[in-house]
Structures are given as structure tokens and as C-alpha cells.
Amino acid sequence: MKFEIDATVRRRSGFVLEARFSCDAESLGLVGPSGSGKSTLLDAVAGIERGSRVVLNGVDCSEVPLARRNIGYLTQDALLFPHLSVRRNLSYSPRAGPVEAVARTLRIDHLLDRMPRHLSGGERRRAALARAIASRPRLLLLDEPFSGLDETRRRDAMSLLSEIRRTFQLPLVIVSHWADEIIGLTDWAVRLEEGRVVAAGPSASLLRGGEVQVDNYLKGHVTGPGRLDVGGVELVAAIPEGVGGDVRVAVYAHDILLGTREPRDLSARNVIPVTVLSAPQGGETVLLEVGPPPLRVLVTREATESLGLKSGVRAFAVLKATSFVYLGAA
């Protein structure tokens, strides 16, 4: 989706947002410190804050009312209609189609006939996300969608949203304080500070010191105790005893090592021949893409240059079995 945004918002408190940028991205991330204007910019795109120029794929939405912009918006609070069942919440929009497929994808199909008061916090959040997707929006806005979740549930939710983005081919705009959420789920990012755009570019290029926890999400089939087939590559992974069938796992990009020679006599259980698929330029850190299986590996610029890691180079990816986090059945 092509974004052209020229947002100006003035608050009575004295805060002023003046954000101008354009980009062409499947998904867009908004990052920056608290109070920098991320949520305000999201409101401007949605049409809650009027007076801003918002052009999406060449269509000027600036004068289009909120209700007619066909934009889904998931705020930090899962605001379900308390008097309607989950099913009726999902089908509330006049544009909503059959809701069962969306509910299955978000693993809430067994909750369709419950009332919101009988849901846990995580279930309410998934139901609110399902309602936004069921309305068939042209764009989905997400304001810190994983806030309040513990680390395992957060990574599980990120994996699920990544799957949703692919399944429904739905452009996203995500506000987050977490670099791994932005890099894992978006391809372009805008950094705001004090109501101004201070940086914009490919999501990985906006990395700063300490912002290095970037996940890989993998689907595989359990072939035996602690063994997983991922796209024809057998991996040794720490998955719960007794688990079988198709599963999802995650591994941080900085937990993967790369070498241009095959290492031997290691405690790490996985040494995988791979090919470097992309090696972006710029920045002190580089998020390489290698495969198969498809993996993102975070390395320093110095290491990339000294090892000659560029597109087409053969290498070996090294992963410990304990680096994998089991996220549940696929």
C-alpha cells in the first residue's frame, strides 16, 4: 500500500504533531518514545483526528468520515460490545462476511457463542482483532496490540498476527515500543520524537542499541522426540515431550550464528547449510535473510564485511536446540 501522510494535530495541552512522510509498504510501523505522537498519528490516519491529509493507494481519504474510510482500528483496550456475543461482535459491521474462517485463524471459534464478560483478557483481545478483520478493511491499524502480555504469549501473538497478515493479505500500521514487533511484522517504519518524524526507512534500518530481539517464526512437523521437519530441513528443537503433528516455534535472530566454513564438534545441535538471500546496506547491525529454511540472522556490519556475507554466498547457520521457543499447534 502506498501511504502519503501530512498530519498536523494541535492539542490544548500544547502538544503539536507535524508528521509528513510517504512510502510504499505492505505494513508500516510507528516507533518512538512515549508521548512522541504515535497514537495521535494513528488517530489521524483513522480519521478520528480531522484536518490531516491521508492518501492511501492514491485515494485521498482526507475528507472521508471515519465510518466510511473502511479502516479497521484495534486500540489498546479491547472494546467489544458487552451486550453482544462474540459471533455478533464479529458480524456487526455491514461489510462483514462469514466469521467462522476468521475465528478459526485466531483460534477463538470455540468462543463464538460466549459473551465478552466470560472471556479472559487475551481472548477479548483476539476477539477484538477478529472483529476488525471480519469487517474486511482496506487497512488495519494496531495500537500496541501485544501490551500486557508475558513474553511467551507476546511471541505467540506475534506469530499469529504474522500468519493473519499473510492469510488475509491485509496491510497493517502498527504502533509499538518493541523493535522486534516492528521488524518482525512490518517492512517500513517511521520514528517519531516530540511530534516530528526524525527517521524513516526499512524497518531493520531503524534499529538502535539494545533493540535487537527479532523473531523468526517457523512451522514444522514433529518427526520424533525433539525433532522437527521445517520445509524438508530436519531440526533439533526443545519442544515439550509428547507433542506431535504440526507445530509453531520461534527463535530470535540474534541466537543464530553464521559461518562460511562448516563448524565441527559443537554443543549446538543444528548446523544448517544455507544461502544468503539478502544483505541490506547501512547501519551498524544487519538483518540478513538466509535459507532454507527461511531465517533472519542479526549480525554486525563488521562481521558481514569480514566474512563476505552477501547475496548468493553459501554459509552455515548454527542454532542451539534450546534457542527454539514452542508456540503451540499450527
Side-chain angles (χ1 to χ4, degrees), residues 10 34-35 59 61 80 86 111 114 146 161 163 205 211 216 220 226 273 295 302 319:
R10 290 181 171 83
S34 297
V59 178
C61 305
L80 297 172
V86 172
L111 304 175
R114 289 193 191 177
F146 313 123
L161 186 56
E163 180 180 349
S205 72
E211 299 177 337
N216 290 283
L295 295 168
E302 187 277 331
L319 299 85

Side-chain angles (χ1 to χ4, degrees), residues 65-286:
L66 168 66
R68 292 174 50 201
R69 289 200 181 188
N70 192 19
I71 293 177
Y73 194 174
L74 182 64
T75 63
Q76 294 182 38
D77 299 316
L79 300 176
L80 297 172
F81 299 115
H83 61 292
L84 300 179
S85 68
V86 172
R87 185 187 304 275
R88 292 183 63 193
N89 262 281
L90 267 60
S91 60
Y92 184 83
S93 170
R95 297 185 300 271
V99 302
E100 285 76 12
V102 177
R104 279 196 302 273
T105 302
L106 280 111
R107 304 199 297 274
I108 59 166
D109 46 316
H110 63 295
L111 304 175
L112 285 173
D113 296 318
R114 289 193 191 177
M115 301 300 288
R117 63 179 178 273
H118 298 309
L119 304 180
S120 68
E123 289 170 344
R124 283 195 298 271
R125 194 179 296 259
R126 289 194 183 195
L129 177 58
R131 182 179 61 184
I133 296 170
S135 68
R136 300 181 180 180
R138 75 166 100 178
L139 174 68
L140 181 60
L141 310 180
L142 302 163
D143 193 356
E144 299 193 38
F146 313 123
S147 62
L149 300 179
D150 63 38
E151 185 61 13
T152 299
R153 287 187 175 90
R154 190 177 72 89
R155 295 174 81 175
D156 180 36
M158 286 177 62
S159 173
L160 187 59
L161 186 56
S162 180
E163 180 180 349
I164 288 167
R165 186 183 66 167
R166 292 192 303 270
T167 301
F168 296 99
Q169 298 183 333
L170 181 58
L172 310 174
V173 179
I174 302 173
V175 167
S176 176
H177 288 285
W178 293 78
D180 62 336
E181 296 176 4
I182 296 297
I183 297 170
L185 297 170
T186 71
D187 52 323
W188 193 269
V190 171
R191 185 182 290 275
L192 293 171
E193 292 182 7
E194 298 181 349
R196 304 291 191 275
V197 175
V198 298
S203 300
S205 72
L206 268 73
L207 277 173
R208 287 184 174 178
E211 299 177 337
V212 295
Q213 291 187 320
V214 184
D215 253 325
N216 290 283
Y217 301 111
L218 302 172
K219 279 187 177 181
H221 185 80
V222 177
T223 58
R227 294 192 174 274
L228 200 60
D229 182 284
V230 178
V233 178
E234 186 171 88
L235 301 176
V236 180
I239 54 179
E241 185 177 349
V243 168
D246 295 331
V247 300
R248 294 178 300 119
V249 295
V251 59
Y252 279 133
H254 66 265
D255 280 344
I256 304 173
L257 302 179
L258 282 181
T260 52
R261 298 180 180 178
E262 183 175 5
R264 299 183 182 279
D265 302 322
L266 295 176
S267 62
R269 296 294 84 195
N270 299 288
V271 177
I272 310 164
V274 296
T275 300
V276 178
L277 304 177
S278 71
Q281 300 298 311
E284 295 181 1
T285 53
V286 181

Side-chain angles (χ1 to χ4, degrees), residues 40-60:
T40 303
L41 180 54
L42 215 59
D43 287 346
V45 175
I48 296 172
E49 293 285 356
R50 304 301 301 274
S52 296
R53 183 172 182 268
V54 177
V55 181
L56 304 174
N57 274 349
V59 178
D60 193 335

